[in-house]
């Protein structure tokens, strides 16, 4: 007799491990991309403060380097 799983839990004992791993990785990937976009916009606004161009350029350089990899 098969036991019922609580809602929201993934059983790795049955089915495709690749599909289940991707199902877990997708929300994390989306969260990272949203975080990256938030940081880019934040650096742009900080860079508009007079005398604060260096932090903006550093933040954008790091973000673009991450996007290229």
């Amino acid at each position: 007799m098969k036991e019922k799983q609580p809602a929201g839990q993934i059983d790795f004992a049955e089915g495709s491990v690749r599909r289940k791993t991707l199902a877990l990785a997708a929300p994390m990937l989306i969260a990272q991309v949203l975080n990256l976009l938030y940081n880019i916009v934040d650096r742009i606004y900080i860079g508009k403060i007079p005398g604060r161009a260096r932090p903006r350029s550093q933040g954008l350089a790091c973000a673009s380097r991450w996007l290229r990899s």
Side-chain angles (χ1 to χ4, degrees), residues 38-54:
Y38 172 82
N39 286 328
I40 289 172
V41 171
D42 187 47
R43 289 294 177 163
I44 290 170
Y45 279 104
I46 289 174
K48 290 186 180 201
I49 299 172
R52 299 287 301 221
R54 187 172 176 191

Side-chain angles (χ1 to χ4, degrees), residues 6-18:
Q9 290 191 355
I10 297 176
D11 182 17
F12 278 97
E14 295 179 6
S16 171
V17 174
R18 178 176 286 178

Side-chain angles (χ1 to χ4, degrees), residues 24-47:
L24 290 173
M28 290 185 275
L29 181 63
I30 292 169
Q32 288 296 321
V33 169
L34 289 175
N35 190 1
L36 175 70
L37 292 174
Y38 172 82
N39 286 328
I40 289 172
V41 171
D42 187 47
R43 289 294 177 163
I44 290 170
Y45 279 104
I46 289 174

